[in-house]
Amino acid sequence: MAWLVVRLAISMSLLYAASAVFEDQVGKFDWRQQFIGKVRFALFDTHSQASKKLLVATEQNVFASLNSRTGDLFWRHVDKTGPEGHIDALLMYGQDAVVVVGNGRLLRSWETTVGGLKWETVLDTGSFQAAALVGVQDLVKYAAVLKKSAISLHDLSSGSEIWVENLPDSDSVQYQTIYSGGNGLVFVLGVVPNSHIVIVEYKIEDGEIMNKKSVEAAWMSSLESSCAVVSSGILLCVDQITQSLYTLPLQSAEQTEMRQIHLQTLDLEVVSGFRPVLTSTQPNPAQPPLSEFFLQLSPDHHILLQFKDGLIAPLRDFNPSYLAAFATSGERTVAAVMSPKNDTACSINLFSADTGRRHLDTTIIYHMDPNGGKPNRLYVHAFLKKDDSVGYRVMVQTEDLTLTFLQQPGRVVWMREEALADVVTMEMVDLPFTGTQAELEGEFGKKAAIQDGLLPMVLKRLSSQFILLQAWLAHLWKLFYDARKPRSSVKNEVTIDILSRDEFNLQKMMLMVTASGKLFGIDSKSGTILWKQYLENIQPNSVFKLIVQRTTAHFPHPPQCTLLIKNKDTGLGSLYVFNPIFGKKSQISVPALPRPVLQTLLLPVIDQDYAKVLLLIDDQYKVTAFPSTKNVLQQLQDTASSIFFYLVDSSQGKLSGFRLRKDLSTELIWEVVIPTEVQKIVAVKGKRANEHVHSQGRVMGDRSVLYKYLNPNLLAVITESTDAHPERSFVGIILIDGVTGRIVHEAVQRKARGPVHFVHSENWVVYVYWNSKFRRNEFSVLELFEGAELYNTTVFSSLDRPHPPQVLQQSYIFPAPINTLEATLTEKGITSRHLLVGLPSGNILSLPKLFLDPRRPEVVSEQSREENLIPYAPEMPIREEWFINYNQTVSRIRGIYTAPSGLESTCLVVAYGLDIYQSRVFPSKQFDVLKDDYDYILISSVLFGLFFATMISKRLAEVKLLNRAWR
Amino acid sequence: MATMRVLSLILSVLSSVTLLWTQSGECNNGRRSGEAVDTDFSGFSVPLEHSFEVDDVPRFSLRGVLQFRGGREHGVYLAQNQLSEKDRNTLKDVAAVDGLYRIRVPRVSLQADRQTERQAEGYLTTFVRACSLVESHLSDVITLHTDVSGCVVGVSIVTIPGSCRGIEVEDEVDLEVFNTTISVVAPVTAPVPETAPYIERMEQEMEKKGKNPQEQKSFFAKYSIYIVPLVLFLMMSGAQDQSGGGAGGGAANGGGR
């Protein structure tokens, strides 16, 4: 009894023990990468020469400051997702950055050095149109914000509102632009499409309307992209239909019509179908803009023009040219133009803005990534060198959201892969063996043994042993060589060539698919991007499914992954087959998918090249097999009657099951219809295919066994009620056998609503919902048991399991909202399971499944104590030491991926959202690994000591015996 | 469960079997829970159809009639026909080629006040292997699953025993009458976190502690019955052999499942 208590105490204390890392383990096996997303605005801090700041605002509602020397983040502010946190405008003056957020809801000023908020003002309602800095007498003092029906002026130092004025006729006129040239006036420009332009002049001091006029412009539909203000207040517009430029002095009272200048007179022509773009620059908001401007005539044709004395003169024609941008340093404004050089490279050159003359020795060669997209944005940072010439650096953003920062003569200073801010799905693939390991594998391959005789086998054996010896010697030499060098100079660079599986398979290849259609292969140990591949022509609303068809275990066949890309609207899909280790596209012919794909099914059937067969079911319930060799088709025919699949049509609430026929057509075998007027299906999840369950049952307190109901075909269907009233809403959970369509269990969680997160594994389902009555998040766990005896102990068949399982369920309060939920996964399933809960705070909680056990007793009894059951407590604890990512929070965590490693105790975890975090978790602690601080010296010295002590005492004993014998 | 089986055995003499509504009439659709159930409603019936063809193309024919009794005491009866000579042979043939035996019921709502929308379009189908039906001598369990509003969402059929061992069924009489157990299952209400009993229990414990101050003995006094033998045992074992030890620790870490 005493032993039992002690053992219980020990095991309980171990189970409760923290899974947190120790201080010296930080960063040892985990890493985090922070991202910002697709850049919307980027401004270089030109305030001082030595400044390294680069301010960016992105589509992901992130406002951040980057170190322009390294590309690292100085600071980052992540705002709300969706339109509420959308960054509408970014203005910068001096040390401060002014940001308009949430469709003109808030005006904020940030201190750019440390990223502190200086002030924040709530603006009046109304949709945002434009914002501009307003200067008076060479000093920038105000920021003007234009809304749909009002304009307001704010003081830059305090954010206080100076004045707000309603715009005249705002229901008919679309006001779109603000302009101020530092002469005490603010111009608001509006347009009545295909009729006229309205120009309103406001006095800066008190917002009094000084002048209001309207000018005929029947050809104009929008001001924003086709117009710009140049020189001292000249409105310049371009129209592709009339092929003309129009000019209008904003302030002159006499001119009531826009002056038309035909592009023909300048020997220019806009390519048909292209909307020409005017780009001007206003280096100082307190002074009028420059009289030079860019006109883009086609996607790869820019021209630098100058407006002088009412006339327009071309300064320089850039044909071809992809991108052009102005930059100012001190008093000098330059223009950088990117032109194609050859198929793989572009050259960027600097030109002085006022003359169009090329600056000497300013070429930057930009090498385009053959696996990447085209450049589409150019940001220029110009600075004055010591000899007063202008130097510059550029940041290029490409279609695949790569930010590249370059300096002369083309050195890439840093690169950021911002596509990784939006990871959609991922997989982890084992790394291949090294050449020598593979050699050994090949030697003992089945084919080789049959073909060769005895002697060649012996020779082969000797040669491979020799290769091993060679590799070992090389390894030793390298160790010796590295040991002599100082520690810091030993480079730990990971390249694709030296990648090989480690002893415990802890290092893997992470395959990440991003929303922009870029694929990444990332080393899980260091986070280094080993390969990337941009898939062009991916629709923005595509859904992806990544399938590993062949792992690295089948040397010499390369591993093979298939990405199914499906257009959400049309349902049409395409397959992209690639090697996950090197990222190369496979040469295998891919079946054409002329019809929308409804479902995919990865079969355990393999073809002669060890690739698993993928079945694709189209909307006519026809099946396409990939690969579809003769061998595969033969195997499919043989096993057709045991291949079942299910389809979910949530719009009709229909779940249906099909069986494969020998001719690859299908037959409907079951149908379950959940009426959509009461509830709708929100999610369906099966179990993970690579999951192993070690124990078939649980040992109870009375030494009997409660067997688990381990149905591999079980589907968990989550429904939500259509009635949203807090008293009547409910969340339904239905467990359906995917083969027979039998409803195994059906439960309703009343007064609950989504979003529901759930995990379905082994014999349990855990789901989280929102209790609308008590206004809190709750966990519920369902466990299924067969009972005290198994129906069929050898094999599970859905067709032959007549008795329904026993279902146990319990619910708990969870004191925090959650973003995502996943369960740990280990090689053999011996290790106890933990749930990984992604919290909105960015922490990942590793919650022992022990706490989510429906057998937790209300009243503690001897038997429950024997079973290690924790007494029931309605509230689930959150302990800080359970956070696996300590302070490395993952912003906007969207998914957690778990993969087993070669060590049973260890599970690899990747959390992705705006950031990516990789770590390892040890749900039952590291029971199969010696600790890091294991005292080898002590143990071995004790061993040796004991050994010698025995020797000596043996000797002494012998002597003593001898002496006694003589006596 | 056991009583259910006994019941089904007793009733198996008859060709139609009834079972109770397994839930306590918890069938409100959330919207009209307050309304009284239509008492004068006498129930309604829907056909239960089956299909077993050698070519595996479903052609459904009437197997029996499901009779639902309205009102709070929901029950379901199944009146079904005997299998004809021809059907028996077909069923045996289908079983021989490992074909499917399918059944279907129309989508209905069991809620009395929703009669107008009762006959929704479509059927709910399911299947069982024909051989297992034959080998079980036509003893099957049919379950109708309803949603919260009492609408039938799914049907399932299993045979007991469910396996196909290839046993030849000689006696023709065994394949004449169905021995069916039929039931209607409504979703169970999932439990919510039980705070009240927990608080009650905690209070009781607190009270207990407060009442018996003499029970708050020191650690040693409390556990002396364990500690003294433990120390004695350690001393004894330490004196006897010094070679052992080191074997204990391994198992403690891994368990938990």
Side-chain angles (χ1 to χ4, degrees):
Chain A
M1 192 59 218
W3 275 115
L4 201 82
V5 170
V6 172
R7 260 168 65 188
L8 198 76
I10 292 169
S11 58
M12 286 301 261
S13 67
L14 281 173
L15 288 166
Y16 277 114
S19 54
V21 291
F22 291 101
E23 195 179 344
D24 59 344
Q25 285 181 312
V26 164
K28 210 167 172 190
F29 46 75
D30 65 322
W31 50 262
R32 177 181 67 164
Q33 290 177 3
Q34 291 186 306
F35 298 97
I36 49 174
K38 184 182 183 181
V39 172
R40 212 171 124 77
F41 305 105
L43 294 174
F44 288 94
D45 182 12
T46 49
H47 182 66
S48 71
Q49 285 294 332
S51 175
K52 293 184 282 190
K53 284 193 292 277
L54 163 60
L55 291 180
V56 283
T58 70
E59 302 278 357
Q60 300 260 18
N61 304 351
V62 173
F63 178 48
S65 170
L66 297 177
N67 184 338
S68 66
R69 303 281 194 280
T70 61
D72 296 335
L73 287 170
F74 278 129
W75 47 262
R76 183 180 75 168
H77 293 287
V78 182
D79 212 323
K80 289 174 187 159
T81 49
E84 244 187 304
H86 186 253
I87 297 171
D88 302 313
L90 168 65
L91 308 166
M92 190 167 158
Y93 190 75
Q95 284 289 326
D96 302 337
V98 179
V99 175
V100 184
V101 181
N103 198 12
R105 193 170 51 89
L106 293 168
L107 184 70
R108 287 183 183 144
S109 174
W110 298 92
E111 208 283 325
T112 55
T113 329
V114 292
L117 184 66
K118 281 184 84 174
W119 49 259
E120 181 184 89
T121 313
V122 181
L123 299 177
D124 293 341
T125 52
S127 70
F128 174 81
Q129 296 296 331
L133 293 172
V134 177
V136 190
Q137 291 154 358
D138 279 2
L139 273 176
V140 179
K141 277 186 174 167
Y142 311 107
V145 179
L146 179 69
K147 298 272 192 111
K148 198 172 183 309
S149 57
I151 175 170
S152 56
L153 198 74
H154 299 265
D155 188 76
L156 271 181
S157 55
S158 66
S160 59
E161 190 178 273
I162 309 289
W163 49 260
V164 57
E165 290 295 326
N166 283 328
L167 296 164
D169 311 323
S170 63
D171 37 355
S172 60
V173 184
Q174 298 172 10
Y175 290 97
Q176 288 174 335
T177 327
I178 305 183
Y179 163 73
S180 165
N183 52 358
L185 292 172
V186 177
F187 294 88
V188 175
L189 310 179
V191 63
V192 178
N194 304 319
S195 173
H196 59 272
I197 304 175
V198 178
I199 300 164
V200 190
E201 278 177 50
Y202 286 95
K203 209 167 134 189
I204 287 179
E205 283 80 42
D206 52 5
E208 187 191 337
I209 295 182
M210 303 296 288
N211 192 6
K212 177 177 177 283
K213 64 179 175 184
S214 62
V215 182
E216 286 291 316
W219 44 269
M220 182 176 279
S221 58
S222 167
L223 273 166
E224 259 165 314
S225 62
S226 58
C227 290
V229 180
V230 296
S231 195
S232 50
I234 309 292
L235 181 68
L236 187 75
C237 294
V238 62
D239 177 43
Q240 79 259 39
I241 295 161
T242 52
Q243 295 271 347
S244 317
L245 286 166
Y246 295 87
T247 61
L248 176 77
L250 288 173
Q251 241 176 322
S252 84
E254 53 267 28
Q255 194 178 337
T256 53
E257 230 174 54
M258 292 190 90
R259 205 153 64 79
Q260 188 177 13
I261 302 166
H262 282 284
L263 283 173
Q264 264 181 344
T265 58
L266 300 163
D267 283 339
L268 298 174
E269 194 189 355
V270 178
V271 173
S272 65
F274 182 77
R275 212 185 147 85
V277 181
L278 280 169
T279 316
S280 66
T281 179
Q282 187 176 10
N284 186 349
Q287 276 165 11
L290 298 187
S291 53
E292 292 78 23
F293 59 95
F294 272 113
L295 173 61
Q296 189 180 5
L297 296 165
S298 78
D300 52 359
H301 187 189
H302 292 77
I303 185 159
L304 183 66
L305 299 162
Q306 189 179 41
F307 181 88
K308 209 172 189 181
D309 308 327
L311 291 173
I312 289 172
L315 286 178
R316 198 178 180 113
D317 194 358
F318 301 103
N319 191 11
S321 59
Y322 290 144
L323 300 164
F326 285 110
T328 305
S329 176
E331 292 298 306
R332 296 166 70 170
T333 301
V334 288
V337 178
M338 180 191 266
S339 317
K341 192 164 185 268
N342 51 39
D343 285 348
T344 59
C346 290
S347 64
I348 303 164
N349 282 297
L350 208 60
F351 301 87
S352 74
D354 44 1
T355 58
R357 201 172 296 133
R358 196 168 86 90
H359 286 230
L360 290 174
D361 301 329
T362 55
T363 308
I364 291 179
I365 305 292
Y366 170 69
H367 292 278
M368 284 192 284
D369 186 357
N371 302 327
K374 290 197 187 75
N376 63 357
R377 295 288 281 278
L378 182 69
Y379 302 97
V380 185
H381 179 211
F383 53 87
L384 288 175
K385 288 185 192 164
K386 280 188 184 121
D387 58 355
D388 211 32
S389 64
V390 182
Y392 75 119
R393 302 185 187 94
V394 289
M395 185 171 79
V396 182
Q397 179 172 266
T398 53
E399 285 169 342
D400 56 331
L401 309 187
T402 307
L403 291 179
T404 315
F405 195 78
L406 299 139
Q407 71 177 36
Q408 285 179 24
R411 191 172 78 84
V412 175
V413 184
W414 51 263
M415 229 168 157
R416 289 182 70 91
E417 291 291 350
E418 291 306 332
L420 284 171
D422 202 354
V423 174
V424 182
T425 177
M426 69 166 292
E427 280 288 340
M428 268 187 167
V429 181
D430 294 349
L431 288 174
F433 294 112
T434 54
T436 47
Q437 284 169 321
E439 180 77 21
L440 279 180
E441 285 281 308
E443 185 198 346
F444 299 112
K446 271 183 198 160
K447 280 179 191 168
I450 297 161
Q451 282 162 7
D452 299 342
L454 185 67
L455 196 67
M457 283 292 281
V458 171
L459 286 177
K460 227 179 197 180
R461 182 61 194 260
L462 285 175
S463 73
S464 58
Q465 295 281 21
F466 180 71
I467 291 169
L468 274 181
L469 183 73
Q470 226 175 355
W472 186 64
L473 286 176
H475 176 71
L476 279 187
W477 172 247
K478 194 170 175 290
L479 273 185
F480 175 69
Y481 195 74
D482 282 351
R484 289 195 315 168
K485 281 198 277 186
R487 204 124 195 226
S488 55
S489 70
V490 180
K491 270 192 181 170
N492 247 339
E493 288 235 332
V494 187
T495 58
I496 210 152
D497 308 316
I498 59 156
L499 268 189
S500 68
R501 195 178 302 187
D502 60 333
E503 221 173 331
F504 298 121
N505 202 4
L506 290 165
Q507 189 178 9
K508 293 199 181 200
M509 179 67 90
M510 289 161 54
L511 300 179
M512 295 197 134
V513 182
T514 62
S516 61
K518 196 166 187 184
L519 307 182
F520 290 91
I522 300 173
D523 169 36
S524 76
K525 197 175 185 180
S526 60
T528 321
I529 295 170
L530 295 171
W531 59 263
K532 49 204 171 187
Q533 178 72 48
Y534 178 57
L535 307 177
E536 276 170 70
N537 305 324
I538 298 285
Q539 302 297 319
N541 58 350
S542 296
V543 281
F544 300 91
K545 185 162 184 180
L546 188 60
I547 302 138
V548 182
Q549 277 195 290
R550 183 165 54 217
T551 60
T552 34
H554 304 285
F555 186 82
H557 299 288
Q560 181 182 326
C561 276
T562 303
L563 181 69
L564 174 70
I565 306 148
K566 189 173 144 184
N567 189 316
K568 217 173 191 172
D569 296 333
T570 61
L572 289 174
S574 61
L575 293 176
Y576 178 79
V577 186
F578 61 100
N579 178 334
I581 304 299
F582 300 107
K584 289 199 187 76
K585 191 177 176 183
S586 173
Q587 299 304 317
I588 295 171
S589 64
V590 175
L593 303 170
R595 303 213 58 88
V597 178
L598 294 182
Q599 173 75 292
T600 59
L601 192 63
L602 189 69
L603 296 182
V605 176
I606 51 170
D607 71 348
Q608 69 269 37
D609 292 338
Y610 305 100
K612 282 184 185 165
V613 176
L614 180 70
L615 294 187
L616 301 148
I617 295 103
D618 65 22
D619 65 341
Q620 291 181 329
Y621 312 117
K622 288 269 186 314
V623 172
T624 313
F626 171 69
S628 58
T629 56
K630 219 172 188 178
N631 177 309
V632 168
L633 294 178
Q634 183 60 44
Q635 286 189 60
L636 282 181
Q637 271 190 14
D638 295 345
T639 53
S641 64
S642 60
I643 297 174
F644 298 85
F645 60 90
Y646 68 94
L647 295 179
V648 184
D649 183 354
S650 59
S651 64
Q652 292 176 29
K654 195 190 272 180
L655 289 144
S656 40
F658 292 82
R659 185 164 80 157
L660 196 67
R661 285 213 187 113
K662 290 203 190 315
D663 58 347
L664 289 191
S665 64
T666 57
E667 57 177 334
L668 180 76
I669 50 172
W670 59 264
E671 221 171 350
V672 166
V673 187
I674 297 160
T676 46
E677 53 264 32
V678 182
Q679 52 192 335
K680 57 179 192 298
I681 300 171
V682 287
V684 178
K685 245 189 220 173
K687 290 175 188 173
R688 286 179 69 165
N690 57 347
E691 175 183 282
H692 294 275
V693 181
H694 184 256
S695 57
Q696 289 282 309
R698 285 182 59 165
V699 182
M700 316 270 285
D702 58 359
R703 304 282 166 202
S704 65
V705 176
L706 187 61
Y707 286 100
K708 296 173 182 173
Y709 180 76
L710 297 168
N711 183 349
N713 309 315
L714 198 67
L715 303 174
V717 180
I718 298 283
T719 62
E720 274 179 44
S721 63
T722 45
D723 193 345
H725 188 277
E727 281 294 312
R728 292 190 296 265
S729 66
F730 64 87
V731 165
I733 171 147
I734 306 169
L735 303 178
I736 295 184
D737 188 301
V739 170
T740 62
R742 182 184 181 192
I743 296 179
V744 171
H745 183 68
E746 198 183 353
V748 171
Q749 195 81 50
R750 291 185 187 276
K751 299 187 181 96
R753 63 181 169 80
V756 180
H757 302 276
F758 68 113
V759 176
H760 182 195
S761 177
E762 281 188 51
N763 65 326
W764 48 265
V765 179
V766 171
Y767 60 94
V768 189
Y769 58 91
W770 172 257
N771 186 325
S772 48
K773 188 185 175 194
F774 293 109
R775 298 168 170 278
R776 64 190 181 199
N777 285 286
E778 289 178 5
F779 259 110
S780 196
V781 57
L782 275 162
E783 278 195 26
L784 291 90
F785 292 100
E786 289 223 0
E789 50 189 278
L790 276 179
Y791 178 79
N792 181 344
T793 48
T794 49
V795 68
F796 189 97
S797 166
S798 286
L799 296 168
D800 178 17
R801 192 105 340 190
H803 304 297
Q806 299 168 14
V807 183
L808 300 175
Q809 189 168 11
Q810 221 168 45
S811 300
Y812 316 88
I813 302 163
F814 191 67
I818 80 158
N819 269 12
T820 182
L821 195 64
E822 186 57 79
T824 59
L825 195 67
T826 51
E827 179 88 2
K828 296 271 184 285
I830 300 168
T831 309
S832 59
R833 307 289 293 269
H834 275 204
L835 284 172
L836 299 170
V837 188
L839 305 175
S841 61
N843 286 307
I844 302 162
L845 181 75
S846 180
L847 187 66
K849 171 72 177 56
L850 211 67
F851 282 91
L852 288 157
D853 184 345
R855 302 189 60 253
R856 282 174 71 176
E858 287 279 336
V859 184
V860 188
S861 68
E862 198 61 46
Q863 290 203 347
S864 70
R865 213 175 281 150
E866 177 89 15
E867 251 190 275
N868 268 349
L869 291 176
I870 307 161
Y872 180 78
E875 183 159 341
M876 191 74 64
I878 294 185
R879 298 197 187 148
E880 245 92 290
E881 65 264 27
W882 286 349
F883 290 152
I884 60 166
N885 55 344
Y886 45 107
N887 63 356
Q888 306 282 301
T889 52
V890 183
S891 287
R892 292 204 198 126
I893 185 163
R894 221 177 18 246
I896 297 174
Y897 179 88
T898 52
S901 73
L903 282 173
E904 173 54 32
S905 66
T906 309
C907 169
L908 304 177
V909 177
V910 181
Y912 53 88
L914 188 62
D915 306 338
I916 295 175
Y917 178 75
Q918 192 277 143
S919 185
R920 298 176 197 162
V921 288
F922 318 102
S924 298
K925 306 202 88 179
Q926 287 176 290
F927 60 82
D928 50 3
V929 182
L930 290 179
K931 281 201 180 67
D932 287 342
D933 52 357
Y934 185 78
D935 205 340
Y936 294 94
I937 296 163
L938 182 75
I939 288 285
S940 44
S941 59
V942 165
L943 256 180
F944 279 115
L946 280 175
F947 179 73
F948 286 117
T950 348
M951 296 288 282
I952 292 162
S953 56
K954 198 179 170 189
R955 174 82 192 133
L956 287 177
E958 271 172 9
V959 169
K960 200 176 178 186
L961 268 178
L962 193 66
N963 286 344
R964 196 183 288 166
W966 275 105
R967 208 171 283 156
Chain B
M1 200 59 214
T3 54
M4 271 167 72
R5 245 182 261 161
V6 171
L7 206 63
S8 68
L9 270 172
I10 295 164
L11 294 174
S12 65
V13 191
L14 302 166
S15 65
S16 66
V17 177
T18 311
L19 257 191
L20 299 169
W21 181 255
T22 49
Q23 284 302 300
S24 57
E26 182 73 23
C27 186
N28 53 11
N29 58 0
R31 285 177 231 167
R32 304 162 205 201
S33 52
E35 282 178 31
V37 180
D38 202 357
T39 42
D40 59 14
F41 179 71
S42 57
F44 59 96
S45 58
V46 291
L48 170 70
E49 292 167 300
H50 62 174
S51 156
F52 42 98
E53 303 291 339
V54 182
D55 59 359
D56 222 14
V57 178
R59 279 182 288 274
F60 284 95
S61 59
L62 192 71
R63 168 173 161 178
V65 176
L66 285 166
Q67 290 215 310
F68 296 98
R69 198 169 56 192
R72 233 182 226 291
E73 287 291 309
H74 264 296
V76 58
Y77 299 87
L78 175 61
Q80 47 192 355
N81 314 328
Q82 287 194 353
L83 277 185
S84 68
E85 175 82 42
K86 190 173 152 247
D87 284 347
R88 283 202 297 270
N89 288 332
T90 321
L91 188 62
K92 275 177 133 182
D93 291 344
V94 175
V97 296
D98 196 13
L100 301 183
Y101 172 82
R102 300 153 191 266
I103 57 164
R104 73 173 188 190
V105 290
R107 289 178 58 196
V108 288
S109 173
L110 305 185
Q111 197 72 1
D113 54 350
R114 290 169 63 117
Q115 283 307 305
T116 45
E117 42 192 292
R118 197 182 81 204
Q119 202 75 36
E121 276 162 49
Y123 290 89
L124 305 165
T125 52
T126 188
F127 71 98
V128 71
R129 285 162 82 188
C131 55
S132 69
L133 189 70
V134 170
E135 282 178 34
S136 66
H137 305 287
L138 301 190
S139 45
D140 54 356
V141 179
I142 297 176
T143 315
L144 297 170
H145 296 268
T146 66
D147 68 354
V148 275
S149 63
C151 192
V152 179
V153 295
V155 58
S156 71
I157 178 169
V158 287
T159 61
I160 295 178
S163 57
C164 277
R165 294 208 177 78
I167 307 160
E168 196 69 22
V169 178
E170 296 293 335
D171 202 351
E172 286 287 309
V173 187
D174 283 345
L175 292 181
E176 257 179 21
V177 278
F178 283 100
N179 167 19
T180 307
T181 311
I182 187 154
S183 56
V184 177
V185 176
V188 297
T189 303
V192 290
E194 291 163 48
T195 30
Y198 178 74
I199 292 166
E200 217 169 88
R201 208 175 71 226
M202 295 307 269
E203 274 170 2
Q204 275 175 3
E205 267 171 34
M206 291 289 279
E207 265 174 40
K208 224 189 256 171
K209 263 187 192 167
K211 270 179 192 167
N212 308 342
Q214 70 269 29
E215 281 224 341
Q216 296 190 345
K217 289 185 267 184
S218 72
F219 175 79
F220 190 78
K222 238 178 182 174
Y223 296 107
S224 61
I225 50 158
Y226 303 125
I227 292 165
V228 172
L230 179 75
V231 171
L232 279 175
F233 181 75
L234 281 175
M235 281 167 69
M236 298 278 279
S237 64
Q240 270 167 15
D241 62 334
Q242 298 188 330
S243 56
N253 273 346
R257 270 161 66 113

